[in-house]
């Protein structure tokens, strides 16, 4: 299973929409992924341990560097396939690299 993390301001709405959409799309593509949704202010280096792909809504300043792939997933929130498809494709590319 590929572990991912998404985060938004409150950790309630936007991040959960991204979580649900990414898990569903990656399942449709044949991948087993788990996406955690959190408040951006709560993301710590310890929380990032074990996470293989970070899916923020924009490019946040976490106050620390991360050394895993970071993909801006905000376009998924528009619920328009033409906008979400490139994000899903980037996620799939990273999954393939991890599994290689």
């Amino acid at each position: 299973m590929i572990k991912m993390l998404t985060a938004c301001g409150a950790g309630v709405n936007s991040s959960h929409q991204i979580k649900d959409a990414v898990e569903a799309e990656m399942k449709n593509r044949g991948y087993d992924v788990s996406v955690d949704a959190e408040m951006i202010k709560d993301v710590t280096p310890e929380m990032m341990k074990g996470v293989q792909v970070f899916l923020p809504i924009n490019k946040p300043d976490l106050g620390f560097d991360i050394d895993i792939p970071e993909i801006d997933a905000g376009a998924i929130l528009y619920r328009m396939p033409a906008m979400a498809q490139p994000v899903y494709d980037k996620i799939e590319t990273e999954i393939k690299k991890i599994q290689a």
Side-chain angles (χ1 to χ4, degrees), residues 25-80:
E25 179 65 21
M26 292 303 112
K27 182 178 181 181
N28 288 340
R29 294 182 183 208
Y31 300 105
D32 186 18
V33 305
S34 172
V35 182
D36 291 332
E38 299 290 341
M39 292 177 68
I40 196 72
K41 72 174 188 63
D42 292 340
V43 177
T44 64
E46 292 77 30
M47 183 182 290
M48 296 296 286
K49 289 181 181 169
V51 174
Q52 295 165 287
V53 181
F54 183 42
L55 305 171
I57 293 171
N58 57 17
K59 179 84 171 140
D61 179 2
L62 298 173
F64 60 91
D65 293 329
I66 61 169
D67 59 355
I68 61 172
E70 182 175 342
I71 300 168
D72 183 342
I76 292 170
L77 297 173
Y78 291 103
R79 298 180 187 200
M80 295 175 62

